[in-house]
Amino acid sequence: MRRRSFLNGVHDMGGMHGFGPIVREADEPVFHEEWEAHTLALARAMLAGLYFNLDEFRHSMERIEPSYYLRSSYYERWLEGTITLLLEKGVISQQEFQARLDELTERRG
Amino acid sequence: MSSNDIPGPDSETALRVKALESLLLEKGLIETSAIDELIDMFENRLGPWNGAKVVARAWTDPDYKDRLLQNGTAAIAEMGFEAVQGEEMVVVENTAEVHNLVVCTLCSCFPWATLGLPPVWYKSAPFRARAARDPRGVLDEFGTQIGADTELRVWDSNAEVRYMVLPERPVRTEGLNAEALAELVTRDSMIGVSKVASPD
């Protein structure tokens, strides 16, 4: 069966109901956290290096599981899209990524 | 989504970014200097002050305004602001008869070359959903009044085409030069959620 997400993904938000008021922040910084800036730069660097193209990148975010899509922040989706594509294209492996993450998690304590 | 929902520096998310960056560095696929350069560009060189200069020039130079509305990409490049990823720029003019509002319902496409990175509210579900369905309600929420007879046009951005609003020049600015006018132009007025206010 064809996946429903091809027809109408959760990312296609135009006209949806029930999200509540638009929340604005006075004097909003460009990045709220350092990891956001690094996420953007990593994705841009991978795009510039042709490890994936812009359409693949957008699609990688549109494929994010709907409930995570709705509760995640903008740069979290950028991050997960980037990781997904780099894994799929074999630029990094799941094993080495997990090993590095475990290492950093342990160091954090 | 509010910024309160953004994971902090000790979060799992921040660690995932670190893990990814260290792997890519180790493989020699990126360089720290290039990453720093990219961050500097987005933090310090791309921002609404660029778009404000474009708007102020259009208000003071009718030939430039014609070129801007005819071919936004070329006219914006003329000012030294190049598309970050080759996207086409379309500039739409607000008048007493027509008010334009820009959204990206599918993700958060934004005219980076002239406005920099979008604010969180632009990327949020409430704005993306409602700008398409109830744009007058959105303008109300931003405290923006437009006439009941004013036509409201909503432009849904995409990967290839980015829209920017040329706001109306406010009254009591006849004596101001382009530089002073640019100071008045806000990011929100170039998205179309607000108007440019007259000087105090």
Side-chain angles (χ1 to χ4, degrees):
Chain A
M1 196 178 116
R2 221 172 152 198
R3 281 176 51 178
R4 191 175 171 272
S5 63
F6 283 102
L7 300 173
N8 184 10
V10 69
H11 66 279
D12 191 358
M13 289 187 156
M16 282 186 189
H17 287 249
F19 287 124
I22 298 161
V23 178
R24 283 180 280 160
E25 181 183 343
D27 300 317
E28 186 181 325
V30 176
F31 299 109
H32 289 84
E33 297 289 341
E34 206 183 327
W35 69 261
E36 295 186 322
H38 282 260
T39 296
L40 174 80
L42 289 175
R44 298 297 317 166
M46 292 294 100
L47 281 162
L50 306 179
Y51 294 96
F52 50 79
N53 68 38
L54 196 57
D55 293 327
E56 291 173 313
F57 186 43
R58 288 162 59 96
H59 186 231
S60 72
M61 290 187 270
E62 291 170 358
R63 287 187 279 150
I64 287 172
E65 190 267 316
S67 69
Y68 180 72
Y69 188 99
L70 289 175
R71 67 174 187 274
S72 57
S73 75
Y74 179 67
Y75 289 114
E76 284 181 287
R77 295 193 290 274
W78 271 56
L79 174 65
E80 295 316 317
T82 303
I83 293 173
T84 297
L85 287 177
L86 294 179
L87 289 172
E88 286 175 359
K89 289 170 180 290
V91 178
I92 59 173
S93 74
Q94 182 62 48
Q95 289 75 8
E96 63 183 351
F97 181 69
Q98 193 56 50
R100 185 59 52 95
L101 191 58
D102 291 346
E103 213 176 283
L104 291 173
T105 307
E106 207 161 292
R107 221 185 293 164
R108 178 183 63 174
Chain B
M1 167 114 306
S2 75
S3 59
N4 296 335
D5 301 313
I6 294 172
D10 293 325
S11 62
E12 170 81 10
T13 303
L15 277 186
R16 287 170 74 78
V17 180
K18 277 200 182 113
L20 180 62
E21 185 165 346
S22 74
L23 268 184
L24 296 176
L25 279 169
E26 196 174 279
K27 289 173 182 290
L29 304 182
I30 54 170
E31 286 178 17
T32 303
S33 59
I35 295 300
D36 291 346
E37 169 72 12
L38 276 163
I39 292 172
D40 178 60
M41 177 175 88
F42 281 101
E43 265 191 322
N44 302 313
R45 297 206 299 278
L46 294 177
W49 52 85
N50 295 337
K53 287 181 190 149
V54 171
V55 168
R57 180 155 174 210
W59 283 346
T60 52
D61 177 346
D63 289 342
Y64 181 74
K65 181 178 158 184
D66 286 347
R67 295 202 293 284
L68 184 66
L69 296 174
Q70 285 286 319
N71 183 342
T73 313
I76 286 164
E78 230 182 274
M79 300 281 288
F81 311 128
E82 299 277 354
V84 177
Q85 46 205 24
E87 62 275 9
E88 184 188 344
M89 287 285 308
V90 173
V91 179
V92 288
E93 184 187 15
N94 279 355
T95 64
E97 291 79 38
V98 177
H99 186 94
N100 296 282
L101 173 67
V102 178
V103 65
C104 175
T105 62
L106 289 174
C107 48
S108 308
C109 296
F110 201 61
W112 288 359
T114 46
L115 300 191
L117 292 169
V120 167
W121 63 257
Y122 182 88
K123 302 179 279 191
S124 71
F127 180 71
R128 286 165 56 186
R130 201 132 46 77
R133 177 166 51 81
D134 178 24
R136 279 180 199 269
V138 168
L139 292 184
D140 261 354
E141 224 171 298
F142 278 81
T144 300
Q145 314 284 332
I146 62 164
D149 296 340
T150 304
E151 183 188 340
L152 181 50
R153 294 183 187 158
V154 180
W155 300 86
D156 198 355
S157 314
N158 59 56
E160 284 80 31
V161 186
R162 309 290 167 100
Y163 300 95
M164 181 178 107
V165 173
L166 173 58
E168 272 184 282
R169 180 170 173 164
V171 295
R172 298 203 317 274
T173 56
E174 294 74 16
L176 300 183
N177 63 17
E179 202 177 11
L181 287 168
E183 295 283 323
L184 302 175
V185 180
T186 60
R187 178 195 63 206
D188 289 2
S189 72
M190 294 180 277
I191 300 173
V193 289
S194 66
K195 295 184 172 187
V196 179
S198 293
D200 300 328

